[in-house]
Amino acid sequence: MSVSTDHPSSETSPGPSDAPPRASTGFIASYIAAQVGLYVVLLTPGMATIAVRLQQIDPVHKTENLSWVMGVGAFVAMLANPLFGRLSDRTTSRLGRRRPWLIGGAAVGLLCMLVMGTTDSVPVLAGAWWAAQAALNATLAALSALLPERIPREQQGRVSGLHSFAMYGAMMIGVGLASVIGQRPTWMFVIPGIVGLVAMGWFGLRLNDTRLAKADRPPLSVREFLSSFYVNPRTAPDYSWAWLSRFLCFLGFFCLSTYQAFYLTDHLHMPPARLSTFVLGSTVVQAICVMVSATLFGWVSDRVGRRKPFVFLGAALFAVSMVVVIFAADYPTFLVGVGLASLGIGVYSSVDTAIAVGVLRSPKTAARDMGVLNIANTLPHSLITVIAPPILVIGSNTPSNYTALFVAATVFTLVGAIAILRVKEVN
């Protein structure tokens, strides 16, 4: 089914009172397929291929190089998403507000992947990755804005769950591509880039995008520019509480995912030589559990018309999982804990985006507001490496108190769930 038949085109952007019609199965499938393609090119380098390429270029300094390449890249992504979202909201192109960013960002991303696969210079690789982060997050901002613009509230839980399915499905595809391609530097970057451009190009070209009249484009002042990265809690309380809830829950989730490798070697005494195999097994369990629970509970939340209970269910499952992980004495028990945590993350993810969409300030600034919300996803990933070390040394001279870290993760997540109670616009 053609995407273009699902939503008629418009010469102007939708007004604040406009509600999108019910989205067809064809449009939703195309939208999720585009997300899969984007996440393949966005996640695969960070998961596998950048580390492999740095090992090939400079094996002696691979750890230090990976740290600053990925660290700066995460910072660029955090800034680029809301910034380009703001620019997308103001785009008056004849091609529409979103299409130029959907296709243009993916095309620039592919060029950056080509540079990364052909260079033998670490600084050039780093610069290309940072440029790719900016370009691909421009695409992500425009794609995220289509959820509130094109999906009605009664379908947003289902699509929110499918979003998690797309992300973790892309992780599996990326790992599979990395395994098949092996050590060939050019193709291990270019093939994911081609996947991303083809998926986004197919979706973008068939999308009947809305067009913003130049007369309706608001002036861009310094204050408006800075608002791309900040929301005043006084003027948007529900939005701010939803942001805080997402930030705290992801901070708790990242405690486990970021430090699981060290936990396996330090607490369960797994042999370092086989660590990659153990982490891969954990990643597969995590992906499967998140995809299943997110898809199922996204559909259920739409059926019952409620979101908040699923936030608490996800937080409760994560809290139970931390107990299992803390007392795990072997790898299979650890996997049970990871599975429970992933089920909780999936349940939370199934309604998290739907809640965020429900409290957006205006349809006219959907990309900007979704970009600011995405900071709540990316910022915890950077902060956890600052917060965790002092927690890990509680009661010890060595950073090995994983019980304290996972208790803190539980507290972060439960407080994040409680914060959602302050959101009044969502049941």
Side-chain angles (χ1 to χ4, degrees), residues 1 22 44 145 151 153 194 206 270 292 295 297 343 405:
M1 179 179 293
R22 186 172 180 83
T44 303
I151 307 296
R153 183 164 295 191
I194 291 173
R206 299 171 69 88
M270 298 289 104
V292 170
T295 304
F297 284 94
L343 290 174
L405 179 64

Side-chain angles (χ1 to χ4, degrees), residues 38-298:
L38 176 60
Y39 282 123
V40 165
V41 64
L42 192 58
L43 298 179
T44 303
M47 290 171 55
T49 53
I50 287 180
V52 171
R53 189 67 186 128
L54 291 174
Q55 165 75 28
Q56 294 172 339
I57 296 174
D58 184 6
V60 176
H61 302 99
K62 60 182 179 181
T63 303
E64 299 93 322
N65 288 334
L66 182 63
S67 178
W68 65 267
V69 169
M70 298 302 296
V72 176
F75 180 74
V76 170
M78 186 175 65
L79 295 181
N81 202 290
L83 172 60
F84 285 109
R86 182 60 171 157
L87 295 176
S88 176
D89 287 333
R90 303 181 74 258
T91 297
T92 58
S93 167
R94 294 184 63 183
L95 296 176
R97 287 200 298 169
R98 311 304 182 196
R99 185 184 290 116
W101 301 97
L102 293 173
I103 300 176
V108 173
L110 174 58
L111 291 177
C112 293
M113 294 296 116
L114 178 61
V115 172
M116 293 173 69
T118 55
T119 185
D120 290 322
S121 166
V122 172
V124 172
L125 183 145
W129 174 238
W130 301 338
Q133 283 282 44
L136 295 172
N137 273 275
T139 297
L140 179 60
L143 191 64
S144 298
L146 292 175
L147 177 56
E149 289 178 348
R150 298 300 180 94
I151 307 296
R153 183 164 295 191
E154 65 269 17
Q155 291 180 290
Q156 287 173 0
R158 173 189 176 193
V159 177
S160 178
L162 289 172
H163 173 267
S164 298
F165 183 94
M167 180 180 294
Y168 283 89
M171 289 172 58
M172 299 288 286
I173 293 172
V175 171
L177 285 174
S179 300
V180 171
I181 297 169
Q183 300 288 313
R184 288 169 286 184
T186 300
W187 292 113
M188 67 185 182
F189 288 103
V190 171
I191 289 180
I194 291 173
V195 171
L197 180 58
V198 169
M200 203 55 58
W202 181 83
F203 176 74
L205 290 174
R206 299 171 69 88
L207 173 70
N208 271 336
D209 199 4
T210 58
R211 290 169 57 186
L212 178 68
K214 291 185 178 180
D216 294 333
R217 183 174 63 181
L220 184 60
S221 63
V222 174
R223 183 176 181 179
E224 284 292 317
F225 173 79
L226 294 177
S227 73
S228 300
F229 309 98
Y230 171 75
V231 176
N232 189 336
R234 293 184 177 180
T235 59
D238 278 358
Y239 181 93
S240 301
W241 282 112
W243 191 98
L244 180 62
S245 174
R246 173 183 282 205
F247 170 80
L248 289 172
C249 287
F250 274 94
L251 190 62
F253 298 158
F254 281 130
C255 285
L256 176 61
S257 61
T258 303
Y259 286 90
Q260 66 169 333
F262 295 158
Y263 179 78
L264 288 172
T265 54
D266 296 346
H267 181 76
L268 296 183
H269 307 294
M270 298 289 104
R274 298 185 58 198
L275 184 59
S276 60
T277 301
F278 293 124
V279 172
L280 176 60
S282 173
T283 302
V284 170
V285 169
Q286 181 182 10
I288 292 174
C289 290
V290 169
M291 288 191 292
V292 170
S293 61
T295 304
L296 173 61
F297 284 94

